[in-house]
Amino acid sequence: MRCSLLLPTLPCVALVLVACQAEVVDDTTDVSTTTDVSTTTTSPAQPSGVSSTSQGSSDASGSSASPSARSTTAREQELARVRWHNGDIVPASEPVLVGDALVLYTLADEQLQITGIDPQDGAVLWSSPASVSLRPRGQSLSVVGVDSLVAHLAPSESGPADAAAAFAVLRDPGTGREVLRSARALSHADLPSVCPHDDTLACVTVPVDGDWSLQSLLADGGLESPPESAAGVPGWTGIGPLGLSRVAEDGTQVGRIVDGQLTWQIDTTQTFAAGQSTDTGWSFYSFGDGSVLVGSIGLGTGPPADGEAWDMTDQLTLGMDAETGEVLWRAPATSNFCDPDMTGADDDPLLACLWRDGQAVAQDGSLTYQDIDIDLVRLDPMTGERLWQVGLGATTSADAEPSRPEPWLVSPTEVAVTASDGLRIIDIETGADRPATTSDRHWVEDHDLVDIQTPGIAKDRVLASDRYQLLDGTGESAPGAPWPLPGPIGTALAEGTGVVVAEPDGLTAYADPGAGR
């Protein structure tokens, strides 16, 4: 399975997009303004989007009986060995192994930085200022390696107001030495990426003739349009697997771009429902060797006004033919925003929230939930059929506030979910559930929108995500991590020597407890 996620939210909060292993967040950022940052007479609209959690639900007709009568039992696992812990940094992303170094985004003194770490002992090798420019806030940060170098944006002190001008930079991952810098500081709609036509080049999305356009970073610091087959379609930005994209300034237009051509296009207000768009969230996955796209989107074309409510039973999950965009199936009142990445594999299970009741109400710049009644279901991604269904009732977040369910990984085959009667453990294969015990350690993602200082933006925030806390069945910090860790948790080190996990208070390297015996 491949996935991309952006959750709906409110002003001054953020968008969430996750490419490849999806993670979810609830919040929103105001990204409705346009900025003049190109050298041409017109500039592209700033990428729109708002983040928060808005899913749909309600209809439970045709559902299978919950198999909760078949209880499972807690499994005993050997605890991992801790190789090292670095508590001197504050991660803002998961680490990525680039060359012989771990590289991640970090936070220090209200500044976003990119930092290199020695994977052998966790020591900091280097750190440098970083920027996300005009990339919609609320998207998870992800380090990109290009031809054994680290690609990132570095803030510029110059440029038009609200342009968040930044240089594209390539660095040596082991020393932090700057190898290449773009000749000009520009606004960027996204972080640098590997060019689709040449994996030795970094590509950036910057203004060209009034549209956001993909450009290759050349050896002299200049920019060049890639071949037409790799350049994409001007004005469109990628949001998902298999070339899934949307019009940057109009979240109701979604399509698939293949070899630089738009192969199909839909209007979300018609394909999903009136008033629904990617401007308030999206979550897309691919299944069946890339033949089927499954997705849910937000319930509005913009963040709701203070006091306005979204009816969560209006959400919808669709299965679409990836080649044509044709709708293959519909699952009313469901949303796959609550689907965790269980294994990181293409055949990952598809979980969804089934909303029997509930509202999301805008209040003081955030969404609060009321009258929640939710089931967790597993869907067949090819047909939309419900494979199992577990009633959760009034679900809450980790801090006991009413919220959509957020399944937390216990093991490669189990998730923990807070239901109305407490924390429950659900077997992904069968849907069998049981009350959690103290021994049920589970990984809870810690995500937070953090205030930072960015040149060119009066008030800025960045989403710190892909950080995990390990809790026991009572919600307290767990003393040890069961081995092996669930697949999506952490970054595997070379030659199977361990897994490094980003935490709110640092980095920890875990290893096989039996290694070296």
Side-chain angles (χ1 to χ4, degrees):
M1 174 180 60
R2 295 292 181 266
C3 59
S4 160
L5 176 67
L6 160 61
L7 301 181
T9 28
L10 308 184
C12 297
V13 210
L15 295 185
V16 180
L17 159 60
V18 183
C20 269
Q21 315 307 342
E23 305 296 342
V24 283
V25 169
D26 296 301
D27 275 319
T28 39
T29 302
D30 187 353
V31 291
S32 59
T33 60
T34 60
T35 53
D36 185 358
V37 294
S38 70
T39 57
T40 59
T41 56
T42 58
S43 65
Q46 182 172 339
S48 62
V50 239
S51 133
S52 135
T53 52
S54 125
Q55 292 80 27
S57 92
S58 115
D59 184 351
S61 62
S63 64
S64 58
S66 168
S68 54
R70 296 175 293 163
S71 63
T72 60
T73 57
R75 301 175 182 176
E76 291 298 327
Q77 289 180 274
E78 197 170 9
L79 299 184
R81 175 171 56 89
V82 175
R83 283 188 55 186
W84 52 258
H85 174 76
N86 183 334
D88 295 330
I89 62 172
V90 179
S93 74
E94 68 176 349
V96 173
L97 198 60
V98 184
D100 294 327
L102 286 165
V103 185
L104 73 159
Y105 286 96
T106 58
L107 299 166
D109 300 324
E110 294 190 339
Q111 303 288 330
L112 180 66
Q113 299 182 330
I114 190 163
T115 301
I117 300 291
D118 188 330
Q120 299 304 313
D121 58 12
V124 173
L125 300 173
W126 56 269
S127 193
S128 184
S131 171
V132 295
S133 192
L134 293 182
R135 187 178 191 244
R137 293 345 185 222
Q139 298 187 44
S140 292
L141 299 171
S142 181
V143 172
V144 173
V146 179
D147 198 24
S148 299
L149 298 174
V150 177
H152 73 97
L153 299 180
S156 169
E157 297 293 339
S158 62
D162 298 324
F167 295 96
V169 174
L170 297 180
R171 294 187 185 278
D172 182 290
T175 65
R177 179 179 64 88
E178 185 175 299
V179 176
L180 178 63
R181 173 178 289 243
S182 60
R184 297 167 51 225
L186 297 170
S187 294
H188 294 250
D190 207 345
L191 299 177
S193 61
V194 177
C195 286
H197 67 291
D198 187 340
D199 61 9
T200 67
L201 297 178
C203 272
V204 293
T205 306
V206 296
V208 176
D209 297 330
D211 284 319
W212 293 111
S213 297
L214 195 69
Q215 298 282 289
S216 305
L217 178 62
L218 304 180
D220 62 358
L223 299 177
E224 178 182 74
S225 296
E228 185 176 349
S229 62
V233 178
W236 287 71
T237 58
I239 64 170
L242 306 178
L244 194 67
S245 305
R246 68 171 186 158
V247 175
E249 64 271 23
D250 183 1
T252 68
Q253 302 303 305
V254 172
R256 185 184 178 196
I257 297 175
V258 179
D259 296 331
Q261 300 295 317
L262 185 64
T263 60
W264 52 260
Q265 181 177 350
I266 62 171
D267 185 323
T268 61
T269 63
Q270 298 176 7
T271 303
F272 283 85
Q276 297 191 12
S277 83
T278 61
D279 283 340
T280 49
W282 72 70
S283 176
F284 288 99
Y285 298 77
S286 66
F287 294 91
D289 295 325
S291 63
V292 174
L293 282 165
V294 175
S296 298
I297 62 173
L299 293 177
T301 54
D306 204 48
E308 184 180 349
W310 281 336
D311 184 345
M312 305 308 290
T313 68
D314 289 338
Q315 198 99 51
L316 173 69
T317 302
L318 293 182
M320 297 185 292
D321 187 303
E323 292 295 323
T324 65
E326 176 188 0
V327 175
L328 302 176
W329 55 264
R330 296 172 180 267
T334 68
S335 157
N336 66 349
F337 281 109
C338 58
D339 185 25
D341 184 15
M342 290 292 298
T343 65
D346 290 349
D347 58 351
D348 212 50
L350 173 61
L351 304 186
C353 299
L354 172 61
W355 290 79
R356 294 179 175 276
D357 199 1
Q359 291 184 324
V361 182
Q363 198 168 57
D364 298 327
S366 63
L367 288 178
T368 59
Y369 291 88
Q370 300 176 357
D371 305 321
I372 290 178
D373 186 4
I374 300 175
D375 292 352
L376 187 68
V377 297
R378 179 176 175 181
L379 303 177
D380 183 326
M382 309 305 289
T383 66
E385 176 190 0
R386 291 182 202 164
L387 302 179
W388 52 255
Q389 181 171 344
V390 176
L392 302 178
T395 56
T396 59
S397 62
D399 56 4
E401 293 295 324
S403 177
R404 63 166 179 79
E406 185 174 347
W408 300 311
L409 297 179
V410 176
S411 72
T413 60
E414 292 180 318
V415 292
V417 181
T418 300
S420 57
D421 59 351
L423 190 69
R424 303 198 65 80
I425 307 300
I426 301 176
D427 185 292
I428 293 300
E429 292 301 319
T430 66
D433 71 303
R434 60 174 172 81
T437 67
T438 305
S439 62
D440 285 310
R441 297 174 176 86
H442 54 284
W443 295 91
V444 177
E445 186 187 2
D446 180 280
H447 38 63
D448 190 20
L449 280 162
V450 180
D451 293 329
I452 61 170
Q453 297 177 12
T454 299
I457 294 183
K459 182 180 180 181
D460 199 9
R461 311 178 87 182
V462 69
L463 177 67
S465 65
D466 296 319
R467 313 179 302 180
Y468 292 89
Q469 300 179 73
L470 185 62
L471 305 181
D472 64 22
T474 66
E476 298 296 323
S477 179
W483 186 266
L485 276 59
I489 302 295
T491 300
L493 296 177
E495 299 177 354
T497 54
V499 176
V500 178
V501 178
E503 300 161 344
D505 60 353
L507 289 175
T508 299
Y510 296 96
D512 186 340
R517 288 180 182 173

